[in-house]
Amino acid sequence: FTSIAETTEPPLLLSMLSEYLETMSGIIMKHQGVVGEFIGDGIMAWWNVPWELEDDTHSAFIAALEQKQKLAELRPYWQQRGLPEIHARMGIARGTVLAGNIGSVNRMKFGLVGDSVNLASRLENMCK
């Protein structure tokens, strides 16, 4: 994403990023995932918190596969508009996490911490 940001005009970049995040987060929510936060062009999402799902792992994998498919469909559309290609990496891990309000008195958010969260981040990073 950094190279795209360096070579794309800010209004165009923001439009493309908004379209990407809207589409990808919609797929996550369609499959009962929670969009926890956007980190630049990244999305931190989770399943099975705050409500329990019967098949959370399956839902996460189906969402990831659908995101990859949707990106492949969007690339020609973006290319016609003169925009660069976007590729996404996913890191999926299953395990116990600490979920709740994280932060300080002045700034707080609902989030997750734990080894599984770190593992998912490392797996995503290995997909480069």
Side-chain angles (χ1 to χ4, degrees):
F1 182 74
T2 302
S3 61
I4 293 173
E6 290 171 346
T7 60
T8 307
E9 290 297 317
L12 198 55
L13 177 66
L14 185 56
S15 172
M16 184 180 190
L17 182 59
S18 295
E19 187 175 4
Y20 167 77
L21 293 173
E22 179 70 28
T23 303
M24 298 300 112
S25 62
I27 293 169
I28 290 165
M29 292 183 285
K30 173 182 163 187
H31 294 283
Q32 301 179 306
V34 174
V35 175
E37 61 184 291
F38 298 113
I39 307 162
D41 64 325
I43 303 171
M44 181 175 174
W46 55 78
W47 282 256
N48 218 33
V49 172
W51 53 84
E52 222 172 295
L53 299 175
E54 194 168 305
D55 204 358
D56 54 313
T57 305
H58 180 28
S59 295
F61 278 113
I62 295 299
L65 291 171
E66 189 173 322
Q67 287 176 313
K68 289 286 197 178
Q69 181 180 3
K70 188 64 178 178
L71 269 177
E73 294 169 10
L74 286 171
R75 279 188 203 106
Y77 166 72
W78 285 331
Q79 191 175 30
Q80 288 174 352
R81 292 170 46 203
L83 296 168
E85 280 193 14
I86 290 182
H87 295 272
R89 303 181 311 261
M90 283 90 172
I92 300 174
R94 186 177 190 346
T96 303
V97 297
L98 175 62
N101 291 323
I102 299 170
S104 70
V105 173
N106 297 318
R107 177 99 166 115
M108 193 170 293
K109 69 176 186 105
F110 185 87
L112 307 179
V113 293
D115 289 341
S116 298
V117 176
N118 296 335
L119 176 58
S121 177
R122 288 188 195 104
L123 290 170
E124 181 270 335
N125 199 35
M126 290 174 65
C127 294
K128 287 184 178 180

